[in-house]
Amino acid sequence: AQSVAQPEDQVNVAEGNPLTVKCTYSVSGNPYLFWYVQYPNRGLQFLLKYITGDNLVKGSYGFEAEFNKSQTSFHLKKPSALVSDSALYFCAVRDANTGTASKLTFGTGTRLQVTL
Amino acid sequence: NAGVTQTPKFQVLKTGQSMTLQCAQDMNHNSMYWYRQDPGMGLRLIYYSASEGTTDKGEVPNGYNVSRLNKREFSLRLESAAPSQTSVYFCASGYGTANTEAFFGQGTRLTVV
């Protein structure tokens, strides 16, 4: 079975400071990893994904994520946080061996609060 | 760009009533999904359709049925609503391969009283 853990319910950071939202995963095969963002009363928006290749993946709105196979982690980062980044962030995983777009498993979400 | 459109946006049902949540996508995607979002539990897959004409159970299918009406539309039906089905429901679609992301609708907030 595949699973995702987001150990922090909330992350607080001051505007202009770097931010990290943590994610660890478990799959039997190779992982495909995704980050989504959800603004209040909205659906989830895709930020970035890791499929293969470079461990540092760059995505929308200045976000990036680092894939670490040995630590089974895919932490989301941004060098300088903005108040407008405040939202709910979800990490998701799919087993690459499934071959089809079936089970995309989500974490429980991390609320990012950026303050002035 | 419509993307994934869900109707209705809000609904209040009485216990035992039935209703159908509608979802349509205009991106020519093969796969479609229904998730529910509950506080502290993230998103859980209810049903999915890998391609037109097929549907499969996800993690929490009990109490729900689905219909993939055509390539564009994927509906979710609650035959006899229960308070435990109070949730926010999201429809999503994707190209149908494991390495592609899903695109989400704006959600339906359902309350069962």
Side-chain angles (χ1 to χ4, degrees), chain A residues 32 34 36 38 41-44 46 49 51 88 90 94-96 98-104 106-108, chain B residues 31 33 35 37 40-43 45 48 57-59 90 96-106 109:
Chain A
Y32 292 150
F34 304 81
Y36 286 83
Q38 184 181 31
N41 301 313
R42 303 295 297 275
L44 277 69
F46 169 73
K49 66 182 177 183
I51 303 301
L88 188 57
F90 289 96
R94 184 183 279 136
D95 191 327
T98 61
T100 61
S102 56
K103 287 182 175 291
L104 182 63
F106 286 84
T108 53
Chain B
S31 299
Y33 315 86
Y35 287 89
Q37 183 181 21
M41 303 193 74
L43 277 81
L45 183 64
Y48 66 98
K57 295 178 180 179
E59 187 182 351
F90 287 100
T97 57
N99 61 351
T100 53
E101 60 272 26
F103 295 80
F104 284 78
Q106 297 217 26
R109 186 173 296 274

Side-chain angles (χ1 to χ4, degrees), chain B residues 51-111:
Chain B
S51 61
E52 186 179 356
T54 68
T55 60
D56 286 286
K57 295 178 180 179
E59 187 182 351
V60 289
N62 290 348
Y64 306 95
N65 285 300
V66 291
S67 295
R68 183 74 183 266
L69 304 169
N70 47 56
K71 191 170 186 179
R72 291 186 65 248
E73 298 173 288
F74 188 40
S75 62
L76 178 72
R77 183 161 178 84
L78 287 71
E79 290 291 351
S80 179
S84 60
Q85 294 178 305
T86 294
S87 187
V88 181
Y89 291 85
F90 287 100
C91 178
S93 68
Y95 287 106
T97 57
N99 61 351
T100 53
E101 60 272 26
F103 295 80
F104 284 78
Q106 297 217 26
T108 296
R109 186 173 296 274
L110 175 67
T111 302

